[in-house]
Amino acid sequence: MEFHKLSAREIAAGVKEKKFTAEEVTRAAIERIKKYDKKYNSLVAVCEERAVADAKKIDEMIARGEDPGVLAGVPFAVKDNFCTDGIETTCCSKMLKGWVPHYDATAVKNMKEAGAVLVGKANMDEFAMGSTTESSIFGPTLNPRDITRVPGGSSGGSAAAVAAGFVPVALGSDTGGSVRQPAAFCGVQGMKPSYGQISRFGIVAYASSLDQVGPLTRNIGDMALLMDVLAKEDANDTTCDAYERPSFTEAVGSASLAGKKVAILTGFDRESVDRPLVEAIDRAAAICREAGAEIIEAKLPITMEHTVACYYMVALGDASSKLACYDGMRYGHHADGKNLSEMYKKSRMEGFGEEVRRRILVGTCILTRGYYENYFVPATKVRQLISDEFKELFKEADLLICPISPALAYKRGLGEKDPVRMYLGDVFTTIANLAGLPSVSLSLGFTPEGLPTNVQLLAPRFGDAELLSYASIIEKTAGAPAAAEIMEGEC
């Protein structure tokens, strides 16, 4: 049976109805990974023995008449910055090579308690700092839709694993677009929930005021199912809001755009965005109009002018502070030196890659006296202005549609040649992180060359359920992406 073509919901239903076993699904997923992932390098660790053992436990529960959970037997992968009990967690950096946590991140724990089976750790940009998944110590990940292009980053391994059909669902982290941009490049669906919606406990931090756990799937129904599992309060994370979450699955089931106002972002140079992506926005707007929505224009002058600068001031300052503990003494790779200062320098120089060192140095500069008052503090004030601008917008509109990236999936190697261009490419994704908003990367089909096209959907904070319901309406017309076809002779 071609399990890789099934959705998470179909797999869970089949396992519960005894059409097939969780062990069969898990073994098939691992076999597909072994056969094809040498080409894509989406996973850096495969937990075969543990995964099969966990799958057998699911089958035993079903045999006893017990309910194993809504994700019974569903294989999943997690980005390598999620702590996994007994499984190496490196953030794809030499700095953490060999570190094995003794506990699961809350998101991983919730997935397992719902019956999902962890099959592997996904490749990523080192310490989640990047847009291409080329800076990993395990080597770059290739895009299953076109191996000459990057899968996006930093959750490129998670997106590629879903796109290749290795797993139906995966988890990533999103600090400035690190779930949505890879989802867009790999032709799958990705979501950054509202800040505080999902616990971040057990995720190695990049910038705590921006980071959020996000699901990657091939359809919105599976995304709603994962949100039902993941979106819960957690006493271990004080930023995870304690409120009663709605049923995301029910919201998708009762979706309607009739009488809603859908805003289309203006105020940016449409000529600077690849034509297929502009056409995708127009198509999404037409679908919403046909579904009964009123289409209006939205201008966000503060957001569009200051987002990228504001984001990098906040994110890199936070990163410099967060990563200070990896000094070779308290945590991380250790290198000997003639004195303490030399030991610190050698440990961090050897442990961190070029992009991470670049961001730490810029962040350290931002936090020094003078620069802190002139750059970091103003950035926090601009961040509030951006948040306020969205609050005003959502008094008039229920949904905002805009691009995710100005470009289709980048050619490999571009990030190394022009890192500033990579940073500027975050102009549309970082807005959701700065304002704490929920955002979905929604696939809108493929170009004639086979490259994924997409749009970004945003809603008010904690309007995640409504956002998914709107996304499901567009997906119903546009179609959900299937797993990439892999030719036998390619691997």
Side-chain angles (χ1 to χ4, degrees):
M1 189 170 182
E2 294 181 310
F3 293 116
H4 69 279
K5 294 185 177 180
L6 300 181
S7 68
R9 194 178 296 275
E10 289 169 334
I11 290 172
V15 169
K16 289 181 181 180
E17 294 166 9
K18 299 182 180 179
K19 293 179 180 179
F20 41 78
T21 66
E23 183 180 355
E24 288 176 309
V25 176
T26 300
R27 289 189 182 278
I30 292 172
E31 183 60 33
R32 185 173 173 84
I33 292 166
K34 286 182 175 180
K35 188 174 183 179
Y36 296 122
D37 200 38
K38 292 176 184 177
K39 177 181 183 180
Y40 303 121
N41 196 33
S42 67
L43 300 178
V44 298
V46 179
C47 323
E48 182 172 3
E49 291 185 11
R50 183 176 296 205
V52 171
D54 289 344
K56 287 180 178 179
K57 291 178 183 177
I58 297 296
D59 293 329
E60 290 168 1
M61 290 180 70
I62 291 172
R64 294 193 299 266
E66 300 173 9
D67 182 4
V70 295
L71 295 175
V74 174
F76 77 106
V78 297
K79 191 174 179 178
D80 197 35
N81 60 344
F82 285 66
C83 289
T84 42
D85 186 11
I87 303 169
E88 187 179 34
T89 299
T90 70
C91 293
C92 292
S93 173
K94 183 178 178 181
M95 183 60 79
L96 283 177
K97 194 81 174 77
W99 181 58
V100 180
H102 62 274
Y103 67 97
D104 282 327
T106 297
V108 175
K109 178 175 70 73
N110 288 345
M111 291 288 287
K112 289 182 176 180
E113 289 177 352
V117 177
L118 178 63
V119 297
K121 302 296 290 290
N123 207 356
M124 60 182 284
D125 282 300
E126 184 184 7
F127 275 98
M129 297 183 190
S131 305
T132 63
T133 312
E134 293 178 294
S135 62
S136 166
I137 57 166
F138 299 103
T141 294
L142 307 189
N143 191 327
R145 306 293 183 183
D146 181 345
I147 60 171
T148 68
R149 298 180 183 260
V150 300
S154 60
S155 305
S158 296
V162 173
F166 298 147
V167 288
V169 298
L171 300 183
S173 63
D174 192 309
T175 305
S178 289
V179 164
R180 291 159 291 150
Q181 187 245 33
F185 282 12
C186 290
V188 297
Q189 319 292 38
M191 181 179 188
K192 185 210 84 70
S194 297
Y195 186 80
Q197 188 71 265
I198 297 175
S199 172
R200 294 181 297 106
F201 178 75
I203 313 297
V204 179
Y206 168 8
S208 292
S209 69
L210 301 166
D211 296 343
Q212 190 61 203
V213 174
L216 294 113
T217 68
R218 290 194 297 272
N219 64 77
I220 295 300
D222 280 357
M223 189 173 288
L225 191 61
L226 259 64
M227 286 296 291
D228 284 333
V229 169
L230 296 168
K232 300 173 182 176
E233 63 178 281
D234 181 14
N236 291 315
D237 180 3
T238 56
T239 66
C240 187
D241 290 70
Y243 81 102
E244 190 67 29
R245 272 71 168 171
S247 169
F248 299 94
T249 298
E250 287 181 8
V252 167
S254 59
S256 174
L257 271 168
K260 303 296 183 182
K261 287 187 178 182
V262 175
I264 308 299
L265 183 63
T266 61
F268 64 92
D269 181 9
R270 286 168 70 96
E271 295 299 320
S272 68
V273 178
D274 285 353
R275 189 65 201 167
L277 301 179
V278 173
E279 292 171 353
I281 291 175
D282 294 339
R283 186 184 178 201
I287 293 171
C288 292
R289 186 181 291 110
E290 290 170 6
E294 177 187 349
I295 306 301
I296 62 175
E297 291 187 351
K299 292 183 178 179
L300 301 168
I302 296 174
T303 299
M304 294 311 300
E305 182 175 353
H306 299 292
T307 285
V308 173
C310 178
Y311 169 78
Y312 278 101
M313 291 298 106
V314 173
L316 301 193
D318 203 341
S320 172
S321 174
K322 288 287 178 295
L323 273 63
C325 64
Y326 301 106
D327 56 14
M329 185 68 80
R330 291 170 292 177
Y331 297 100
H333 170 77
H334 174 79
D336 290 330
K338 297 177 181 178
N339 51 50
L340 188 63
S341 178
E342 185 177 296
M343 185 276 292
Y344 284 153
K345 291 177 183 177
K346 289 181 65 177
S347 295
R348 290 170 71 82
M349 189 68 185
E350 293 176 8
F352 291 128
E354 181 181 354
E355 180 61 27
V356 177
R357 293 199 303 271
R358 179 188 293 124
R359 296 195 186 200
I360 290 174
L361 287 170
V362 174
T364 303
C365 178
I366 291 166
L367 296 181
T368 56
R369 181 176 295 177
Y371 288 100
Y372 179 83
E373 291 83 358
N374 292 326
Y375 292 95
F376 189 80
V377 172
T380 62
K381 294 178 180 178
V382 171
R383 181 180 185 180
Q384 184 60 54
L385 293 177
I386 290 171
S387 180
D388 292 342
E389 199 166 51
F390 274 102
K391 287 177 183 176
E392 290 302 312
L393 169 66
F394 287 124
K395 288 179 181 178
E396 300 295 327
D398 300 286
L399 178 70
L400 175 68
I401 299 178
C402 67
I404 292 169
S405 168
L408 297 165
Y410 310 135
K411 286 284 188 179
R412 290 163 53 190
L414 182 61
E416 297 173 0
K417 297 175 184 175
D418 193 352
V420 174
R421 181 177 172 183
M422 296 296 102
Y423 300 162
L424 293 175
D426 295 336
V427 61
F428 296 111
T429 51
T430 52
I431 58 180
N433 301 83
L434 288 170
L437 304 176
S439 171
V440 165
S441 168
L442 188 70
S443 174
L444 261 288
F446 297 83
T447 67
E449 298 76 29
L451 295 179
T453 66
N454 42 76
V455 293
Q456 179 175 202
L457 311 178
L458 297 98
R461 189 172 179 191
F462 295 125
D464 304 58
E466 291 80 6
L467 176 62
L468 288 178
S469 73
Y470 304 148
S472 71
I473 294 170
I474 301 174
E475 183 189 68
K476 192 175 295 183
T477 298
E485 292 293 332
I486 303 176
M487 304 303 291
E488 291 294 332
E490 288 183 348
C491 300

